[in-house]
Structure formats: structure tokens, C-alpha cells
Amino acid sequence: MTDADLGLIRPTSTRRPSGPPRPRHEHIADARRSFANVERELDAELDPSDGEVPRELHGTLLRNGPGGMALGSEGLQHPFDGDGMVVRFAFENGRVHYTNRFVQTAERLQEQRAERPLFRGFGSNLPGGILRNALRLRFKNTANTSLVVHAGKLLALWEGGVPHALDIHTLRTLGRHDFDGALRNRGASAAFAPELPFSAHPRLDHETGELWNFGTLMGLRPRLLIYGVSAAGALRVERDIVLPRLHFIHDFALTRHYFVFHVAPVAFQMWKALSGVVPPADAIRGEEAPGAFLLVPRDGGPPRRFATSPGFCFHLANAYEDSRGQIVVDAMRAARFPDLKALFDPNAAPDASAASRLTRYVIDPRTDAVLESTLAPSVAELPTIHPKLNGRRHRFVYGIASKLERPAPIYDSVMKVDCDNGSTRVCTFRDDIPSEPIFVPRPGSHEEDDGHLLTVVYRPRQHRSDLVLLDARALAPVATLPLPHHVPPLFHGIWTAR
Ligand SMILES: [Fe+2]
């Protein structure tokens, strides 16, 4: 496949030293530099180095990701465990104001005072071997995965615990937000998990203003909790479902009648994590067995399972019900659950089976049949759509993509897939690494792809980052705004009109 086949566009704004293409291992090693500590919290006016910021862009891009990766001389073993750092780009009259602030979780404050790591992470053990990690089941709430604005609150999310509330204008941390105690764990597992998990991928019901989310509780009887948050911000546990076995569920989708989960079989070597031999992320392994969709009726009926091929979906782009009552789910599917450690390890062997591609599943609840097809050939992740189409029929899916047969963090392109005709456009940044593209609709337009895509691009050679605006229709650069320092390209962001 050639670049032309992919509709590949190279941004003129990528200022890349000339010279021969670099060996792939250099590219990967440089990508790891993106996880270096961000040392400063800044406020700055950004000036475009290329193009102009459209005056119609009025609102705020917020992104979250790991910004604090080392404390003293101790580096974390996995980017999953970096302290959450929120970046804010406020757009007004063609100007952009930049702010970055760490989420000041209780754990981060304790560690900063002690000047050393005090908590295990999902992917990182404490220094000191088994003696310091065995039976240590309280993990750091990193607040580093995503954000949501709902009921007048900005929340930083991490899937293993409760959200943290932030001031939407200053990003000052206001504290843990357990919805007035509704996320307090009152069950038998409270001893090691005093707070119920609130995933990093909530979904908004645009008709009711309710926010829906879930959490998975590990244990001998794993449970899937589904939460409803009213438009006024009150949380209730809507469903409490005992799972027949443990699954690693990171995302879900919401249709008119169903909560939609893709569940893939994983083996959790509990003793390894409990004994401190390895962090939990290294104790989870994918299994060669069929996966399934779990459809939980929103009206309270029993969950239904629909078998799929083996495979694992970290992220679901969207799901909706078509005119025939079938449930259409677009997801990034890999052939198997990835080795979470190898995902970010430059020395790990390339693993094509862990590379995900945009895949369409069509579930027929009358026949139990699930049709499965690959929508785009590119290795891709972090799918996004027009934000108003959540739960409704969409045509376009955006994401980050790579031609390399290997998952993150070496995605080098932003991708747009037309799900109606299968055509794919790719805007490549070559040696540079874009973040999840966030679609911002053009005010007043009803065309699904009429608007801009916002992405923060990490430039490994210069160890810095730019905010890049793309025209979403042509996937062509509109403006590039250099940031005063580097920003790691992980994980998720949102656009808010505020
Ligand atoms: Fe995610």
C-alpha cells in the first residue's frame, strides 16, 4: 500500500531536519522521551508558527495524561502510573491561552513531601522488590486518563478509583469527588478497595443530560457496576452485575436501549500481583478464546452475551441501533489482549497481534449473529467521533494511526475513516507523535465532518510539543502553535464550549 492509497497528507508545519529516514529503533527510543517528567506548571499565550487560529473556534480543549514520571532518582516503570497532568487551551477571538497543572491527588502530595515513591501503580512496583510490594493492594489514583465536564464540574478520571474535581478555569485541584459518598465501597472488598472504580470513559445521553459510566471490581466474584449520573450531578448505581470471570474492560458504548461492553477473556495471575513479584499489569495475559459483547438493557432486563472472534478492544468509537434493530459497534480491535509492559518498551519485539484496527461489529439481537469486518487497514487507536453523535449513527471516525505493525506509542499519523465507503485519509507527522484527535464542529454547520481536529504533537528530535489544528474535512493543517515545553501525547481529551 502506498501513501497515496491512504490519502496521505504531510503537514507543511512539521519542521523536520532533512536527511535519510531514521532506523525504526531510534524512532521508538525517541518516543519514550515523551514520557520524561514535565517540570513546570505554566501559563502562556501561544502564537502560531504556521497558519492562523480560526476566530470561530471559541471554547476550551482539555487534555489529560501522565506528566510526572519520576520522583527523585526513581523512575516509574509504566506510563500508566504517571501523575495526571491536565493541559488547557482556551480559544477566544483567534487567540489561544495555554495552562498546564498537575492533579494534586493525596498520593502525589504525600510522595512529593517524601521525595520518593510511596504507592504501587497498576504497572509499576515500588523499588525494593517483593518485600515492599507483597500484599500492598492500595494503588495510586493517578487521575491521569481522561476528563469530563458534567453538572458544572470538571473531573479528572482514572478507571481504578474516584474522579478528582478541578476548577475549570484555573485547573486547581478541588479534591476527590465521590459523588457525596455514592462511590464509597460498602462491600466486603472495601478493605482493599475503599472507593468504587469510576471508569475514564463515561458517555453522555444527549437527550436526558444523564452521564453514564461503569467500573469493574476485581475479586473472587468480579462485578461490573453501571452508574447513572443525573443532569444535576447525583450518582446512583444502576446495575450491579456479577461477571462469570474477570475481564479487562476499559471502555463501553451507549445506545438507545443498551449499555454495550466488549469482553475478552484474560487470565489474571492473582498470586503474582499479590505476592509483589510483578505489578498487576504484568499479571494479566490474554487468552486464545472467543470474545463477546455484553449488552445490558437500559430498561433493567438481564444482560445478553453475543460471541465474537477472539480479540480485544481497548476503545469503542461509538455504537448505535440501526433501522433494523441491529446494534452497530465500531471499535479498535486487536487480535489479542496486548502485553501491557511491551506496549511501551522499546526493546520488546514487534507484535502484530496486539496492533488494533477499526472494526465494525453488527449485532443482531434476534438471531444472536455478530458480523465482523475491518473498516480500515491502518493500525490505529484512540478513536473519536463528532461529539453530538454519541449513541447515534455516525459516518466518520478519527484516530491516531501508524503504518508500523506495532501498537503505541509510535503512532505517527492522524486518521479519518469514512465508514460509509471505507475510504481512509491519513495526515502523517513522520517522526513525530500526535495525540488523540478531538473533533470540534464548525458553529451552525450540520455537516458531520465540517470542523477542526485538535491534536498535540510531540516532536522527539526537539523534545517539545505543538498544538496542531487540522481541517477535519481535508485532514489538512490549518495552524501550528508551539508550546513552551513538551507534553506527553497520552491519553484522552475533550472540547468544551466553556
Ligand atoms: Fe482510554
Short mmCIF file of all heavy atoms in Angstrom, two decimals, residues 293-344:
data_model
loop_
_atom_site.label_atom_id
_atom_site.label_comp_id
_atom_site.label_asym_id
_atom_site.label_seq_id
_atom_site.Cartn_x
_atom_site.Cartn_y
_atom_site.Cartn_z
N PHE A 293 -19.74 -9.65 23.10
CA PHE A 293 -20.36 -8.40 23.51
C PHE A 293 -21.35 -8.71 24.63
O PHE A 293 -22.10 -9.69 24.55
CB PHE A 293 -21.09 -7.72 22.34
CG PHE A 293 -20.16 -6.89 21.51
CD1 PHE A 293 -19.67 -7.37 20.30
CD2 PHE A 293 -19.74 -5.65 21.96
CE1 PHE A 293 -18.79 -6.61 19.55
CE2 PHE A 293 -18.86 -4.89 21.21
CZ PHE A 293 -18.38 -5.36 20.01
N LEU A 294 -21.30 -7.89 25.63
CA LEU A 294 -22.27 -7.96 26.72
C LEU A 294 -23.19 -6.77 26.54
O LEU A 294 -22.76 -5.62 26.64
CB LEU A 294 -21.54 -7.89 28.05
CG LEU A 294 -22.33 -8.23 29.30
CD1 LEU A 294 -22.72 -9.70 29.29
CD2 LEU A 294 -21.49 -7.93 30.54
N LEU A 295 -24.45 -7.05 26.21
CA LEU A 295 -25.44 -5.99 26.05
C LEU A 295 -26.34 -5.98 27.27
O LEU A 295 -27.04 -6.96 27.56
CB LEU A 295 -26.27 -6.22 24.78
CG LEU A 295 -25.82 -5.47 23.51
CD1 LEU A 295 -24.36 -5.72 23.20
CD2 LEU A 295 -26.70 -5.83 22.32
N VAL A 296 -26.29 -4.87 27.98
CA VAL A 296 -27.10 -4.73 29.20
C VAL A 296 -28.26 -3.79 28.87
O VAL A 296 -28.05 -2.62 28.59
CB VAL A 296 -26.26 -4.16 30.35
CG1 VAL A 296 -27.09 -4.07 31.62
CG2 VAL A 296 -25.00 -5.00 30.58
N PRO A 297 -29.49 -4.32 28.88
CA PRO A 297 -30.63 -3.46 28.55
C PRO A 297 -30.77 -2.30 29.53
O PRO A 297 -30.68 -2.50 30.75
CB PRO A 297 -31.84 -4.40 28.65
CG PRO A 297 -31.26 -5.77 28.52
CD PRO A 297 -29.90 -5.70 29.14
N ARG A 298 -31.00 -1.12 29.00
CA ARG A 298 -31.11 0.06 29.86
C ARG A 298 -32.42 0.04 30.66
O ARG A 298 -32.57 0.77 31.64
CB ARG A 298 -30.98 1.34 29.03
CG ARG A 298 -29.59 1.49 28.45
CD ARG A 298 -29.47 2.72 27.55
NE ARG A 298 -29.69 3.97 28.28
CZ ARG A 298 -29.55 5.17 27.75
NH1 ARG A 298 -29.18 5.27 26.48
NH2 ARG A 298 -29.77 6.26 28.46
N ASP A 299 -33.38 -0.81 30.22
CA ASP A 299 -34.65 -0.84 30.95
C ASP A 299 -34.63 -1.83 32.11
O ASP A 299 -35.66 -2.07 32.75
CB ASP A 299 -35.80 -1.16 30.00
CG ASP A 299 -35.71 -2.59 29.44
OD1 ASP A 299 -34.79 -3.32 29.85
OD2 ASP A 299 -36.54 -2.96 28.61
N GLY A 300 -33.45 -2.45 32.36
CA GLY A 300 -33.34 -3.31 33.53
C GLY A 300 -33.39 -4.80 33.26
O GLY A 300 -33.26 -5.59 34.17
N GLY A 301 -33.53 -5.22 32.02
CA GLY A 301 -33.56 -6.65 31.69
C GLY A 301 -32.22 -7.31 31.92
O GLY A 301 -31.22 -6.64 32.18
N PRO A 302 -32.17 -8.65 31.84
CA PRO A 302 -30.91 -9.37 32.07
C PRO A 302 -29.91 -9.10 30.95
O PRO A 302 -30.30 -8.93 29.79
CB PRO A 302 -31.34 -10.84 32.08
CG PRO A 302 -32.62 -10.87 31.31
CD PRO A 302 -33.30 -9.56 31.55
N PRO A 303 -28.60 -9.10 31.27
CA PRO A 303 -27.58 -8.90 30.23
C PRO A 303 -27.60 -10.05 29.23
O PRO A 303 -27.93 -11.19 29.59
CB PRO A 303 -26.26 -8.93 31.03
CG PRO A 303 -26.64 -8.69 32.44
CD PRO A 303 -28.02 -9.23 32.61
N ARG A 304 -27.27 -9.76 27.99
CA ARG A 304 -27.18 -10.80 26.96
C ARG A 304 -25.77 -10.83 26.39
O ARG A 304 -25.16 -9.78 26.17
CB ARG A 304 -28.18 -10.52 25.84
CG ARG A 304 -29.63 -10.70 26.26
CD ARG A 304 -30.55 -10.48 25.07
NE ARG A 304 -30.32 -11.46 24.00
CZ ARG A 304 -30.91 -11.40 22.80
NH1 ARG A 304 -31.74 -10.41 22.54
NH2 ARG A 304 -30.68 -12.32 21.88
N ARG A 305 -25.27 -12.04 26.12
CA ARG A 305 -23.92 -12.20 25.56
C ARG A 305 -24.02 -12.58 24.09
O ARG A 305 -24.86 -13.40 23.70
CB ARG A 305 -23.15 -13.30 26.30
CG ARG A 305 -22.74 -12.93 27.70
CD ARG A 305 -22.04 -14.11 28.35
NE ARG A 305 -20.72 -14.37 27.76
CZ ARG A 305 -19.60 -13.82 28.20
NH1 ARG A 305 -19.62 -13.00 29.23
NH2 ARG A 305 -18.45 -14.11 27.63
N PHE A 306 -23.16 -12.00 23.29
CA PHE A 306 -23.09 -12.31 21.86
C PHE A 306 -21.64 -12.63 21.53
O PHE A 306 -20.77 -11.75 21.63
CB PHE A 306 -23.58 -11.11 21.03
CG PHE A 306 -25.02 -10.75 21.28
CD1 PHE A 306 -25.34 -9.91 22.35
CD2 PHE A 306 -26.04 -11.25 20.49
CE1 PHE A 306 -26.66 -9.58 22.60
CE2 PHE A 306 -27.36 -10.92 20.74
CZ PHE A 306 -27.68 -10.08 21.79
N ALA A 307 -21.37 -13.86 21.15
CA ALA A 307 -19.99 -14.30 20.94
C ALA A 307 -19.37 -13.61 19.73
O ALA A 307 -20.03 -13.38 18.71
CB ALA A 307 -19.95 -15.81 20.75
N THR A 308 -18.09 -13.25 19.85
CA THR A 308 -17.32 -12.70 18.74
C THR A 308 -16.07 -13.54 18.54
O THR A 308 -15.80 -14.46 19.32
CB THR A 308 -16.89 -11.24 19.03
OG1 THR A 308 -15.95 -11.26 20.12
CG2 THR A 308 -18.07 -10.36 19.40
N SER A 309 -15.29 -13.18 17.54
CA SER A 309 -14.00 -13.83 17.36
C SER A 309 -13.11 -13.48 18.55
O SER A 309 -13.40 -12.54 19.29
CB SER A 309 -13.34 -13.31 16.08
OG SER A 309 -13.02 -11.94 16.25
N PRO A 310 -12.01 -14.23 18.74
CA PRO A 310 -11.05 -13.80 19.77
C PRO A 310 -10.55 -12.40 19.41
O PRO A 310 -10.49 -12.04 18.24
CB PRO A 310 -9.93 -14.83 19.66
CG PRO A 310 -10.55 -16.02 19.02
CD PRO A 310 -11.60 -15.48 18.08
N GLY A 311 -10.20 -11.65 20.38
CA GLY A 311 -9.72 -10.29 20.10
C GLY A 311 -10.02 -9.41 21.28
O GLY A 311 -10.80 -9.76 22.17
N PHE A 312 -9.38 -8.24 21.27
CA PHE A 312 -9.52 -7.33 22.40
C PHE A 312 -9.73 -5.91 21.88
O PHE A 312 -9.07 -5.49 20.94
CB PHE A 312 -8.26 -7.37 23.27
CG PHE A 312 -8.31 -6.39 24.41
CD1 PHE A 312 -9.10 -6.64 25.52
CD2 PHE A 312 -7.57 -5.22 24.36
CE1 PHE A 312 -9.17 -5.73 26.56
CE2 PHE A 312 -7.63 -4.31 25.40
CZ PHE A 312 -8.43 -4.56 26.50
N CYS A 313 -10.67 -5.20 22.49
CA CYS A 313 -10.96 -3.82 22.11
C CYS A 313 -10.69 -2.91 23.31
O CYS A 313 -11.47 -2.94 24.27
CB CYS A 313 -12.41 -3.66 21.67
SG CYS A 313 -12.89 -4.71 20.29
N PHE A 314 -9.61 -2.14 23.25
CA PHE A 314 -9.37 -1.15 24.30
C PHE A 314 -10.45 -0.07 24.22
O PHE A 314 -11.03 0.31 25.22
CB PHE A 314 -8.01 -0.48 24.10
CG PHE A 314 -7.02 -0.79 25.18
CD1 PHE A 314 -5.81 -1.41 24.87
CD2 PHE A 314 -7.28 -0.47 26.50
CE1 PHE A 314 -4.89 -1.69 25.86
CE2 PHE A 314 -6.37 -0.76 27.49
CZ PHE A 314 -5.17 -1.37 27.16
N HIS A 315 -10.71 0.40 22.99
CA HIS A 315 -11.60 1.55 22.83
C HIS A 315 -12.69 1.29 21.82
O HIS A 315 -12.45 0.71 20.76
CB HIS A 315 -10.79 2.78 22.40
CG HIS A 315 -9.87 3.28 23.48
ND1 HIS A 315 -8.51 3.07 23.41
CD2 HIS A 315 -10.11 3.94 24.64
CE1 HIS A 315 -7.96 3.60 24.50
NE2 HIS A 315 -8.90 4.13 25.26
N LEU A 316 -13.88 1.78 22.16
CA LEU A 316 -15.02 1.75 21.25
C LEU A 316 -15.24 3.17 20.73
O LEU A 316 -15.30 4.12 21.53
CB LEU A 316 -16.28 1.28 21.98
CG LEU A 316 -16.47 -0.24 22.17
CD1 LEU A 316 -15.29 -0.90 22.84
CD2 LEU A 316 -17.75 -0.51 22.95
N ALA A 317 -15.34 3.31 19.40
CA ALA A 317 -15.57 4.64 18.85
C ALA A 317 -16.99 5.09 19.15
O ALA A 317 -17.23 6.22 19.58
CB ALA A 317 -15.33 4.64 17.34
N ASN A 318 -17.94 4.19 18.92
CA ASN A 318 -19.35 4.54 19.10
C ASN A 318 -20.18 3.27 18.87
O ASN A 318 -19.69 2.28 18.33
CB ASN A 318 -19.77 5.61 18.09
CG ASN A 318 -21.13 6.21 18.39
OD1 ASN A 318 -21.57 6.26 19.54
ND2 ASN A 318 -21.83 6.66 17.36
N ALA A 319 -21.43 3.33 19.27
CA ALA A 319 -22.39 2.27 18.95
C ALA A 319 -23.75 2.92 18.76
O ALA A 319 -24.05 3.95 19.37
CB ALA A 319 -22.45 1.23 20.06
N TYR A 320 -24.55 2.33 17.90
CA TYR A 320 -25.91 2.84 17.68
C TYR A 320 -26.79 1.71 17.18
O TYR A 320 -26.30 0.64 16.79
CB TYR A 320 -25.90 4.01 16.69
CG TYR A 320 -25.38 3.68 15.30
CD1 TYR A 320 -26.24 3.24 14.30
CD2 TYR A 320 -24.04 3.82 14.99
CE1 TYR A 320 -25.78 2.95 13.03
CE2 TYR A 320 -23.56 3.53 13.72
CZ TYR A 320 -24.43 3.10 12.74
OH TYR A 320 -23.97 2.80 11.48
N GLU A 321 -28.10 1.95 17.20
CA GLU A 321 -29.06 0.95 16.72
C GLU A 321 -29.55 1.39 15.35
O GLU A 321 -29.99 2.53 15.18
CB GLU A 321 -30.21 0.83 17.73
CG GLU A 321 -29.72 0.26 19.05
CD GLU A 321 -30.73 0.37 20.18
OE1 GLU A 321 -31.94 0.33 19.90
OE2 GLU A 321 -30.29 0.51 21.33
N ASP A 322 -29.47 0.49 14.37
CA ASP A 322 -29.89 0.86 13.02
C ASP A 322 -31.39 0.64 12.85
O ASP A 322 -32.10 0.22 13.78
CB ASP A 322 -29.05 0.13 11.95
CG ASP A 322 -29.30 -1.38 11.92
OD1 ASP A 322 -30.30 -1.83 12.52
OD2 ASP A 322 -28.51 -2.09 11.29
N SER A 323 -31.88 0.91 11.64
CA SER A 323 -33.32 0.87 11.41
C SER A 323 -33.89 -0.54 11.54
O SER A 323 -35.10 -0.71 11.68
CB SER A 323 -33.63 1.44 10.02
OG SER A 323 -32.91 0.69 9.05
N ARG A 324 -33.02 -1.57 11.49
CA ARG A 324 -33.48 -2.96 11.62
C ARG A 324 -33.35 -3.48 13.05
O ARG A 324 -33.55 -4.66 13.30
CB ARG A 324 -32.70 -3.86 10.66
CG ARG A 324 -32.88 -3.45 9.19
CD ARG A 324 -31.88 -4.15 8.30
NE ARG A 324 -31.96 -5.60 8.38
CZ ARG A 324 -31.04 -6.42 7.91
NH1 ARG A 324 -29.94 -5.92 7.34
NH2 ARG A 324 -31.18 -7.71 8.02
N GLY A 325 -32.97 -2.60 13.96
CA GLY A 325 -32.84 -3.02 15.35
C GLY A 325 -31.52 -3.70 15.65
O GLY A 325 -31.33 -4.25 16.73
N GLN A 326 -30.60 -3.66 14.68
CA GLN A 326 -29.27 -4.23 14.93
C GLN A 326 -28.41 -3.19 15.65
O GLN A 326 -28.60 -1.99 15.47
CB GLN A 326 -28.60 -4.63 13.62
CG GLN A 326 -29.39 -5.67 12.84
CD GLN A 326 -28.72 -5.98 11.52
OE1 GLN A 326 -28.39 -7.12 11.25
NE2 GLN A 326 -28.52 -4.97 10.69
N ILE A 327 -27.47 -3.68 16.42
CA ILE A 327 -26.57 -2.78 17.15
C ILE A 327 -25.24 -2.75 16.39
O ILE A 327 -24.60 -3.78 16.18
CB ILE A 327 -26.35 -3.23 18.61
CG1 ILE A 327 -27.65 -3.10 19.39
CG2 ILE A 327 -25.29 -2.38 19.29
CD1 ILE A 327 -28.52 -4.29 19.37
N VAL A 328 -24.87 -1.57 15.95
CA VAL A 328 -23.63 -1.37 15.19
C VAL A 328 -22.58 -0.81 16.15
O VAL A 328 -22.83 0.22 16.80
CB VAL A 328 -23.85 -0.40 14.01
CG1 VAL A 328 -22.56 -0.20 13.23
CG2 VAL A 328 -24.97 -0.91 13.11
N VAL A 329 -21.46 -1.50 16.24
CA VAL A 329 -20.39 -1.06 17.15
C VAL A 329 -19.11 -0.91 16.34
O VAL A 329 -18.69 -1.86 15.67
CB VAL A 329 -20.13 -2.09 18.28
CG1 VAL A 329 -19.16 -1.52 19.30
CG2 VAL A 329 -21.43 -2.53 18.94
N ASP A 330 -18.50 0.27 16.37
CA ASP A 330 -17.19 0.47 15.76
C ASP A 330 -16.15 0.54 16.88
O ASP A 330 -16.27 1.37 17.78
CB ASP A 330 -17.16 1.75 14.92
CG ASP A 330 -17.95 1.60 13.63
OD1 ASP A 330 -18.33 0.46 13.29
OD2 ASP A 330 -18.18 2.62 12.96
N ALA A 331 -15.15 -0.32 16.79
CA ALA A 331 -14.17 -0.43 17.87
C ALA A 331 -12.79 -0.66 17.29
O ALA A 331 -12.64 -1.11 16.15
CB ALA A 331 -14.55 -1.59 18.79
N MET A 332 -11.78 -0.34 18.08
CA MET A 332 -10.41 -0.66 17.69
C MET A 332 -10.10 -2.06 18.21
O MET A 332 -9.92 -2.27 19.41
CB MET A 332 -9.43 0.36 18.28
CG MET A 332 -9.56 1.75 17.69
SD MET A 332 -9.15 1.76 15.92
CE MET A 332 -9.29 3.53 15.58
N ARG A 333 -10.03 -3.03 17.29
CA ARG A 333 -9.87 -4.42 17.68
C ARG A 333 -8.45 -4.91 17.38
O ARG A 333 -7.94 -4.75 16.27
CB ARG A 333 -10.84 -5.31 16.91
CG ARG A 333 -10.65 -6.81 17.16
CD ARG A 333 -11.39 -7.67 16.18
NE ARG A 333 -11.05 -9.08 16.37
CZ ARG A 333 -10.02 -9.69 15.80
NH1 ARG A 333 -9.22 -9.02 14.99
NH2 ARG A 333 -9.78 -10.96 16.05
N ALA A 334 -7.82 -5.49 18.40
CA ALA A 334 -6.56 -6.20 18.21
C ALA A 334 -6.85 -7.70 18.26
O ALA A 334 -7.85 -8.12 18.84
CB ALA A 334 -5.56 -5.83 19.30
N ALA A 335 -5.97 -8.49 17.67
CA ALA A 335 -6.22 -9.93 17.62
C ALA A 335 -6.18 -10.55 19.01
O ALA A 335 -6.78 -11.59 19.24
CB ALA A 335 -5.20 -10.61 16.71
N ARG A 336 -5.47 -9.91 19.92
CA ARG A 336 -5.44 -10.44 21.29
C ARG A 336 -5.14 -9.31 22.27
O ARG A 336 -4.71 -8.22 21.86
CB ARG A 336 -4.41 -11.55 21.45
CG ARG A 336 -2.99 -11.10 21.27
CD ARG A 336 -1.99 -12.12 21.78
NE ARG A 336 -0.64 -11.63 21.66
CZ ARG A 336 -0.08 -10.78 22.49
NH1 ARG A 336 -0.77 -10.30 23.52
NH2 ARG A 336 1.16 -10.36 22.32
N PHE A 337 -5.34 -9.59 23.53
CA PHE A 337 -5.02 -8.63 24.58
C PHE A 337 -3.51 -8.36 24.57
O PHE A 337 -2.71 -9.29 24.56
CB PHE A 337 -5.44 -9.21 25.94
CG PHE A 337 -5.24 -8.26 27.09
CD1 PHE A 337 -6.16 -7.26 27.33
CD2 PHE A 337 -4.14 -8.38 27.91
CE1 PHE A 337 -5.97 -6.38 28.39
CE2 PHE A 337 -3.94 -7.51 28.97
CZ PHE A 337 -4.87 -6.50 29.21
N PRO A 338 -3.10 -7.08 24.57
CA PRO A 338 -1.67 -6.80 24.45
C PRO A 338 -0.91 -7.04 25.74
O PRO A 338 -1.48 -7.04 26.83
CB PRO A 338 -1.66 -5.30 24.09
CG PRO A 338 -2.90 -4.77 24.72
CD PRO A 338 -3.93 -5.87 24.66
N ASP A 339 0.38 -7.26 25.59
CA ASP A 339 1.29 -7.28 26.73
C ASP A 339 1.45 -5.81 27.15
O ASP A 339 2.08 -5.02 26.44
CB ASP A 339 2.62 -7.89 26.31
CG ASP A 339 3.64 -7.91 27.44
OD1 ASP A 339 3.52 -7.06 28.35
OD2 ASP A 339 4.54 -8.76 27.42
N LEU A 340 0.88 -5.45 28.29
CA LEU A 340 0.83 -4.04 28.66
C LEU A 340 2.21 -3.45 28.93
O LEU A 340 2.43 -2.26 28.78
CB LEU A 340 -0.06 -3.85 29.89
CG LEU A 340 -1.54 -4.22 29.67
CD1 LEU A 340 -2.32 -4.11 30.97
CD2 LEU A 340 -2.17 -3.33 28.61
N LYS A 341 3.14 -4.32 29.33
CA LYS A 341 4.50 -3.83 29.56
C LYS A 341 5.20 -3.57 28.23
O LYS A 341 5.84 -2.54 28.04
CB LYS A 341 5.28 -4.87 30.37
CG LYS A 341 6.59 -4.36 30.91
CD LYS A 341 7.19 -5.41 31.84
CE LYS A 341 8.39 -4.85 32.60
NZ LYS A 341 8.93 -5.86 33.50
N ALA A 342 5.02 -4.50 27.29
CA ALA A 342 5.69 -4.36 26.00
C ALA A 342 5.15 -3.18 25.19
O ALA A 342 5.84 -2.65 24.32
CB ALA A 342 5.51 -5.65 25.19
N LEU A 343 3.94 -2.77 25.52
CA LEU A 343 3.30 -1.68 24.79
C LEU A 343 4.18 -0.44 24.73
O LEU A 343 4.16 0.31 23.76
CB LEU A 343 1.99 -1.34 25.51
CG LEU A 343 0.79 -0.86 24.74
CD1 LEU A 343 0.40 -1.80 23.64
CD2 LEU A 343 -0.40 -0.70 25.70
N PHE A 344 4.96 -0.22 25.77
CA PHE A 344 5.79 1.00 25.84
C PHE A 344 7.27 0.68 25.97
O PHE A 344 8.05 1.51 26.40
CB PHE A 344 5.34 1.86 27.02
CG PHE A 344 3.91 2.30 26.90
CD1 PHE A 344 2.89 1.61 27.54
CD2 PHE A 344 3.56 3.41 26.14
CE1 PHE A 344 1.57 2.01 27.43
CE2 PHE A 344 2.25 3.82 26.02
CZ PHE A 344 1.25 3.12 26.67
#
